[in-house]
Each structure stands twice: as structure tokens, then as C-alpha cells.
């Protein structure tokens, strides 16, 4: 089975379309790791597109929770809070209800992998560094766990010889899984990368061959950024798309 794994779309329809066009032939099942909305200008359109793609799993992210009213976003900074309030105003009741019903991670899929938004024990916790990753790896059940939330494409492995961090290059990264090791992998953000590469990010996990491909694809960033400005969202949200931070 080949799984397309995407996370942190953040209402960026142009980035989502580019990923789906690039990955169209390379997957059987779609998994979505949360934050469909928040920051970008197309929350209703992105929810509609995700529904139409018939993913086998969609879990919620922290921005989804605030946008649909499960939480108030007290921990958000001013820009995130402004974007969340804007998203609340424009979401239709049907789209709000869809987000409200999304399950919390972690979820095990086909006994092959685990998915979560932040970290396996807590959907709101960030896995930034090796210490965070090591702690999280000790709580995972599956041999490979995919997470999002940091908008940073990266892989960590706990092997018999030690701990390893893998960063993709300009052409991505191909990772061979090893049944004696445990892996924690972030596919990166579709709609608001923060790892210095402004291209949309995604991952494909081939469970038969135990391989993971980390990939990037360019998209019309100027279009998405202009929509952010036209919507009256904070202009910093347009700028950061252009620089990928
Ligand atoms: Zn996010």
C-alpha cells in the first residue's frame, strides 16, 4: 500500500492542488495530519477539496480546533489569533461542523503506521529537536509514526546503533525503513512551510517496500499570497509564504 501523507495545508488551495497533481500517480490512500485551515484565504475550498479526495484518515490540528470553536486559541500569537477569527467568520456552518467532527490523533492505520498532529502523546506538542523526538519515539507503537505541526520536513530514527536525524536536500529524501528501528517523520507543510524551502511539502510511504519519499513541489505562491492580502488577513502571512519561514 502506498500512502500519501500531507499536513498543515492551512487554507492554501494553490499549494494543495500542486501536491495532489504531483503525487496523483504515486499513492493509493491519502492521510491528512491536521490543520486544514488557519492562516490562508481558502478554508472552505480546502475543506471541500479534502472531502472530495476521500482520505482514509483526517485528524484535527490545533488551528482546526480554534477555527471550529472547540478551543479559543489562547496560546496563539496575535497574527495566528487574527487569522483564526477571520477563519471563524468565513467558514460555512457545514465546514465548521466537518472540522468539529475530526478525530484527535494518534491513530494507527492498517497496522502499518501511526499518525498524529503534534506528537503521539499530545496533539498540541511540538517536536522540534532530537530530545523532543527521542521522547516521542519512546511512546510510539508502530515502527513508523508521521507527525506535523512544526511545518518542518524532517525524519528521526532510533536504531540499534543510536539516534539519527535526516534532513532532505533540494530533491527531497528517500528513506529505507528498518524493522529493527523506529522512525518519526514529518512530511512538512503543504500550505505554509517554515523550513526555509517555500515549496509545498509531502511524503509518500510505500508499506510493501518499507520506503518513505520526502518530496517538494513548486506552486503559484504569488497567487496564494495575493489572496491573503485581498482577504484582509495579516500581510505577514503572505510574506512568510514567499520565504518559507
Ligand atoms: Zn500548522
Amino acid at each position: 500500500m502506498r500512502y500519501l501523507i500531507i499536513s498543515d495545508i492551512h487554507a492554501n488551495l494553490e499549494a494543495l492542488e500542486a501536491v495532489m497533481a504531483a503525487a496523483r500517480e504515486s499513492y493509493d490512500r491519502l492521510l491528512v495530519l491536521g490543520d486544514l485551515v488557519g492562516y490562508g484565504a481558502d478554508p472552505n475550498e480546502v475543506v471541500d477539496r479534502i472531502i472530495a479526495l476521500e482520505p482514509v484518515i483526517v485528524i484535527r490540528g490545533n488551528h482546526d480546533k480554534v477555527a471550529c470553536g472547540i478551543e479559543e486559541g489562547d496560546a496563539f500569537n496575535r497574527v495566528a489569533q487574527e487569522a483564526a477569527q477571520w477563519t471563524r467568520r468565513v467558514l460555512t456552518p457545514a465546514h465548521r461542523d466537518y472540522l468539529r467532527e475530526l478525530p484527535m490523533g494518534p491513530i494507527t492505520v492498517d497496522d502499518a503506521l501511526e499518525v498524529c498532529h503534534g506528537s503521539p502523546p499530545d496533539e498540541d506538542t511540538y517536536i522540534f529537536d532530537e530530545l523532543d523526538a527521542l521522547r516521542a519515539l519512546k511512546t510510539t507503537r508502530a515502527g513508523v509514526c508521521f507527525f506535523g505541526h512544526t511545518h518542518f520536513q524532517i525524519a528521526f530514527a532510533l536504531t540499534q546503533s543510536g539516534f539519527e536525524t535526516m534532513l532532505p536536500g533540494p530533491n527531497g529524501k528517500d528513506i529505507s525503513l528498518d524493522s529493527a528501528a523506529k522512525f518519526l517523520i514529518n512530511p512538512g507543510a503543504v500550505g505554509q512551510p517554515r523550513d526555509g524551502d517555500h515549496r509545498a511539502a509531502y511524503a509518500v510511504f510505500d508499506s510493501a517496500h518499507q520506503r518513505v519519499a520526502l518530496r517538494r513541489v513548486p506552486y503559484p505562491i504569488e497567487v496564494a499570497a495575493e489572496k491573503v492580502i485581498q482577504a484582509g488577513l495579516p500581510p505577514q502571512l503572505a510574506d512568510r509564504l514567499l520565504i518559507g519561514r
Side-chain angles (χ1 to χ4, degrees), residues 34-36 58-61 64 70 97-104:
D35 279 358
L36 281 65
V58 185
I59 55 174
R60 69 188 191 182
D64 301 323
I70 291 174
D97 290 347
Y98 173 83
L99 294 175
R100 206 183 275 269
E101 297 297 318
L102 292 179
M104 173 171 58

Side-chain angles (χ1 to χ4, degrees), residues 36 83 93 106 114 135 150 165 199 218-219 224 229 234 245:
L36 281 65
E114 195 174 341
R135 285 202 192 102
T150 60
T165 300
R199 297 173 298 171
Y219 74 94
I229 302 292
R245 291 275 182 205

Side-chain angles (χ1 to χ4, degrees), residues 8-10 34-35 39 62-63 117 149-151 192 194:
D8 297 283
I9 302 145
H10 285 290
D35 279 358
Y39 296 136
N62 52 321
H63 286 263
H117 183 66
H149 199 34
T150 60
H151 301 203
Q192 195 200 71
R194 295 178 190 163

